[in-house]
Amino acid sequence: MTSRSAAFLRAETAAGRVTAKETVKTAIARAQEVGADRDGLNVFVWRDDEDARAQASTIEDRLADTQPGALLGVPVAIKDNIATLTMPTTCGSRILEGYVSPYEATVVKRLRAAGAIPFGKTNMDEFAMGSSTEHSAYGPTKNPISPDRVPGGSSGGSAVAVASGIVPIALGSETGGSVRQPAAFCGIVGVKPTYGRVSRFGLVAFASSLDQVGVFGATVDDAARGLGAIAGHDPMDSTSADIKVPQYHASSNADVKDLVVGLPKEYFPASLDPEIRRLCDAAVDRLRGLGATVKEVSLPHTDLAIPVYYIVAPAEASSNLARFDGVRYGFRLEGDGLRGMYEATRSTGFGPEVTRRILLGTYVLSAGYYDAYYRKAQQVRTLIADDFRRVFDSGVHVLFTPTAPSTAFPIGAISDPYEMYLSDIFTATANLAGVPAMSLPIGRVGGLPVGGQFLASHFDEARMFTAAYALERALGAEAHA
């Protein structure tokens, strides 16, 4: 049942042909079948099946409502850095082990209001710092298509929850590609909305000017309905935009005859895997065949995205993570005085990747280096945003690129941090510029999924979904072959 679309589950539940209890029972059974626990795919860090059943029991009370909810009876997995009242929020870290938030994230409240059933907290790279979900204190998550490989990260657990058929929709978070890259690696759809489109209230901060809640879906329509349920202005988030949210799924049958698709030449370098290039070319040919206009464009500052991102993000992280000191949250180790307690708690509670980024961020913000590194990175970030603005102002509606430079790599294969950081080379620009972007499957190489990426202008997710719906229909089964 959970392998059916969110729209199907909602319609069947609203009509009384399926009960939410049956759907939750199926989701639990599917989690057990695919080995979602720590000894298997390691999808969840916390799952309360009894609570899920209890929530399902309350859904029947809503069937008489005039508007029973856009996601009525749909189970949705939640990334472990999104605050929930009924389950711990640990960010994949020992330093927050067992911590239960006293309040709930706005996106979770909106899911509940839409009739969805939060179904477990998913594994992730510690504090969302990673591209493989290998940096979790609770062990790595495995790719359901090839369990010896990574699912991508940092939202790998949420991606696998959808890709393995446990739930049709899951929430993740993005700072530099942490929804789109795992979506590509797992052969599903992942959406990063415009910065400000979805509330960040209740999302544990990594890099506040980059962080966003994103959505995974088994299909474009699942992702569209999931985003529609959580998007919108939130007075609890000062960065939330008061801009009307369209019905993204309304463009499911729209044509693309007037669509102008840009191909940024910087995203198709000579070093790009020829098989990934071939699948991208085939996807572009399908768009042309549907009547879209395709032209080459340039985003000249793209090659600076990774160095800019890995200055800005660690700098903000070093500030945000200062609050985890053993005093207010979670884990604590006693030491010699207050400073000793801080050192003992952090040296044990934080993993190596988090420690590395805190050190880097503190360095670039320190006296004598702030202007040389952080200020300069912010200036270049503006140039990257200007590149996108200039292209979209020229009449281009959406951009199409590869999502990642490779398919899912083997667990443990990349030990060099810089090489791992390059996994975000095609995704980090969207976070730096604040524009919406999404990944959808366009085929396979050696049996492993490849994702194609659409990017659009600020708050133009609807046009991005129009293009994605059309390409998904055109590719059909080829997207997963």
Side-chain angles (χ1 to χ4, degrees):
M1 184 63 67
T2 49
S3 65
R4 307 300 292 269
S5 72
F8 174 87
L9 287 176
R10 190 266 181 198
E12 294 295 290
T13 304
R17 291 186 290 270
V18 170
T19 67
K21 291 179 182 178
E22 292 171 329
T23 302
V24 165
K25 181 179 178 181
T26 305
I28 294 170
R30 180 61 179 167
Q32 294 169 344
E33 180 185 353
V34 301
D37 58 18
R38 200 169 299 179
D39 294 329
L41 296 177
N42 200 15
V43 179
F44 297 98
V45 296
W46 182 268
R47 208 177 79 233
D48 189 337
D49 293 343
E50 288 305 314
D51 181 64
R53 292 187 184 99
Q55 293 178 67
S57 297
T58 67
I59 295 297
E60 294 179 16
D61 298 335
R62 301 181 57 165
L63 296 183
D65 293 354
T66 306
Q67 297 291 332
L71 295 177
L72 187 71
V74 178
V76 179
I78 312 292
K79 189 176 179 180
D80 190 33
N81 61 345
I82 299 173
T84 49
L85 283 169
T86 58
M87 294 177 280
T89 300
T90 71
C91 297
S93 178
R94 292 293 182 196
I95 208 164
L96 280 176
E97 190 168 16
Y99 174 74
V100 179
S101 171
Y103 65 93
E104 196 152 68
T106 295
V107 291
V108 178
K109 289 182 178 179
R110 288 180 175 173
L111 286 177
R112 294 189 193 277
I117 301 169
F119 187 81
K121 302 296 286 289
T122 57
N123 201 12
M124 57 181 284
D125 285 304
E126 185 180 8
F127 282 100
M129 298 182 190
S131 301
S132 63
T133 317
E134 293 175 284
H135 299 294
S136 169
Y138 306 105
T141 296
K142 300 172 184 176
N143 193 310
I145 295 164
S146 181
D148 63 326
R149 294 177 181 265
V150 302
S154 62
S155 308
S158 288
V160 175
V162 173
S164 58
I166 300 170
V167 293
I169 296 173
L171 297 189
S173 70
E174 273 243 8
T175 308
S178 291
V179 167
R180 287 164 288 152
Q181 185 246 29
F185 280 10
C186 292
I188 57 173
V189 178
V191 180
K192 182 202 86 69
T194 305
Y195 187 85
R197 175 64 91 183
V198 174
S199 172
R200 293 187 299 113
F201 181 74
L203 173 68
V204 178
F206 163 12
S208 302
S209 73
L210 301 167
D211 295 342
Q212 294 169 256
V213 176
V215 179
F216 292 97
T219 65
V220 172
D221 192 66
D222 289 332
R225 292 173 187 273
L227 181 59
I230 64 172
H233 179 251
D234 177 18
M236 299 298 290
D237 176 7
S238 62
T239 64
S240 174
D242 192 4
I243 296 176
K244 184 179 178 180
V245 179
Q247 288 194 336
Y248 300 123
H249 63 273
S251 60
S252 60
N253 293 309
D255 63 50
V256 293
K257 290 181 180 178
D258 296 324
L259 194 73
V260 179
V261 180
L263 300 181
K265 62 182 181 180
E266 292 81 8
Y267 287 69
F268 295 89
S271 58
L272 181 64
D273 185 316
E275 287 298 299
I276 293 178
R277 181 186 294 271
R278 177 183 62 80
L279 290 174
C280 287
D281 289 344
V284 171
D285 287 342
R286 292 301 179 93
L287 291 171
R288 282 197 189 95
L290 294 171
T293 300
V294 179
K295 66 178 186 179
E296 185 180 271
V297 298
S298 178
L299 299 171
H301 295 95
T302 296
D303 63 334
L304 300 174
I306 292 299
V308 167
Y309 176 82
Y310 281 99
I311 291 174
V312 173
E316 295 185 13
S318 69
S319 176
N320 280 325
L321 270 64
R323 70 194 68 180
F324 301 107
D325 52 14
V327 176
R328 289 163 287 188
Y329 308 98
F331 176 78
R332 175 193 292 187
L333 277 182
E334 298 299 335
D336 184 13
L338 182 63
R339 183 184 181 92
M341 186 270 287
Y342 286 164
E343 291 177 351
T345 298
R346 289 169 171 165
S347 62
T348 302
F350 287 139
E353 183 60 28
V354 173
T355 301
R356 182 183 297 117
R357 298 199 194 192
I358 290 174
L359 290 171
L360 176 60
T362 303
Y363 175 78
V364 301
L365 291 177
S366 60
Y369 296 101
Y370 179 92
D371 287 336
Y373 292 105
Y374 186 73
R375 185 186 298 276
K376 181 65 69 176
Q378 291 288 24
Q379 291 170 340
V380 177
R381 179 181 182 178
T382 300
L383 296 178
I384 291 171
D386 286 343
D387 286 347
F388 281 100
R389 189 176 301 111
R390 195 160 37 247
V391 167
F392 290 127
D393 286 347
S394 73
V396 171
H397 297 135
V398 296
L399 301 173
F400 181 79
T401 78
T403 305
S406 70
T407 55
F409 46 86
I411 294 173
I414 298 180
S415 57
D416 180 355
Y418 184 71
E419 186 180 353
M420 183 72 78
Y421 297 164
L422 290 176
S423 296
D424 299 330
I425 195 166
F426 296 147
T427 55
T429 50
N431 297 82
L432 291 167
V435 298
M438 67 185 297
S439 177
L440 71 161
I442 59 172
R444 296 196 177 193
V445 172
L448 297 171
V450 172
Q453 178 178 223
F454 282 114
L455 302 97
S457 184
H458 292 95
F459 300 103
D460 200 10
E461 290 91 351
R463 188 120 54 175
M464 188 174 70
F465 274 109
T466 296
Y469 271 117
L471 182 56
E472 182 182 59
R473 284 197 309 271
L475 290 174
E478 292 178 32
H480 303 279

